[in-house]
Amino acid sequence: MSDADARVQAQQQAQQQAKEEAGRHAAGYVTDGMKVGLGTGSTVHWTIVELGERALDIICTATSVQTHELATSLGLRVISPDEIGSLDIAIDGADEVDPAFNLTKGGGAAHTREKIIASMSPRFIVVVDESKIVEALGPFGTPLEVLDFAPGVVTSAVLALGAHSVTTRERRSDNGNLVMDAQFGSIADPVALGAALWAVPGIVEHGIFPGAMVERIVVAGTAGVHELVNDQR
Ligand code: 5RP
């Protein structure tokens, strides 16, 4: 293996370890009797594993088929959002976090269900490795869940909002819809862009989560785990 390959491998291992540390740390916010929203992805995966290991007396709802299967395989009780009704806490990952706690989500195409579950909870805790912290949302792209009726019309509307490109993923969402990624470059006002995307007929949901939804970010990296707490809510 070349030095460069070894460095990349070491970086990937460190990132995986950070994801596990952040994910497991956030499980500490869950106690017996809680109703818990479970996010989707490789970081919150470890929250779910930790919750399974602790065998707490909790009821959960899941943001994806993948998470539902993982949680039930670990012995957690998972019911639908309508059955659970409300939540005490929701925990999820993110693809980008900006200084105002705005998030990009949807790397795993689950952002519609994730936004519904996060909106059901007074406490929304986000778990990330430090590579997800950015100065401004945008480099990851903005995931869009789109009805498969007039994707070309939706694409034109998103380009008219300032996107440089819009691509469609091969895989659909768990809801059977198309998933697109729009590149807006650096996003100056994520909340305003989110509102503009909501106004496009055919967009089921976009992956911008306003910072007002977020209680805290659990960040793990080379210096261990720390938390960013959103005092502005
Ligand atoms: C799925 C998401 C995930 O939370 C996001 O993609 C982060 O994933 P990971 O923890 O694997 O980096 O929004 O739709």
Side-chain angles (χ1 to χ4, degrees):
M1 188 189 292
S2 71
D3 284 357
D5 286 346
R7 267 198 303 277
V8 169
Q9 195 180 60
Q11 263 171 4
Q12 285 170 345
Q13 275 169 0
Q15 187 183 31
Q16 292 314 315
Q17 192 184 332
K19 284 176 183 239
E20 177 169 352
E21 283 172 12
R24 286 189 184 273
H25 178 96
Y29 286 101
V30 179
T31 54
D32 273 333
M34 280 189 173
K35 294 191 280 184
V36 184
L38 302 176
T40 294
S42 56
T43 315
V44 77
H45 168 98
W46 292 106
T47 309
I48 300 165
V49 168
E50 179 82 20
L51 292 175
E53 287 173 2
R54 290 192 189 175
L56 295 171
D57 181 18
I58 56 175
I59 308 175
C60 306
T61 194
T63 53
S64 63
V65 172
Q66 178 196 334
T67 290
H68 188 285
E69 286 174 355
L70 172 66
T72 52
S73 75
L74 294 166
L76 295 168
R77 182 170 168 223
V78 184
I79 59 178
S80 73
D82 278 359
E83 286 170 314
I84 208 164
S86 64
L87 296 174
D88 297 299
I89 194 166
I91 304 174
D92 204 346
D95 301 298
E96 292 176 331
V97 180
D98 81 3
F101 294 83
N102 298 305
L103 311 176
T104 301
K105 288 186 50 52
H111 55 280
T112 301
R113 294 187 187 195
E114 291 172 335
K115 205 173 273 183
I116 293 170
I117 299 297
S119 76
M120 291 168 62
S121 175
R123 305 191 67 189
F124 180 40
I125 296 181
V126 176
V127 288
V128 293
D129 69 86
E130 61 192 359
S131 73
K132 307 293 184 66
I133 306 295
V134 295
E135 275 307 309
L137 301 189
F140 183 82
T142 301
L144 307 171
E145 179 160 354
V146 175
L147 203 69
D148 192 359
F149 174 66
V153 175
V154 171
T155 297
S156 299
V158 174
L159 290 170
L161 289 177
H164 312 142
S165 70
V166 180
T167 51
T168 304
R169 295 189 201 171
E170 277 183 24
R171 253 195 69 209
R172 289 178 182 244
S173 72
D174 284 353
N175 309 311
N177 293 312
L178 298 174
V179 182
M180 296 182 174
D181 292 287
Q183 300 295 334
F184 287 97
S186 184
I187 299 172
D189 187 343
V191 176
L193 178 60
L197 290 168
W198 271 324
V200 176
I203 293 183
V204 176
E205 191 52 84
H206 58 77
I208 297 173
F209 285 47
M213 295 180 78
V214 178
E215 177 191 297
R216 71 185 62 224
I217 313 282
V218 177
V219 190
T222 41
V225 179
H226 68 282
E227 295 193 0
L228 306 170
V229 180
N230 187 359
D231 296 324
Q232 304 301 315
R233 304 170 78 215

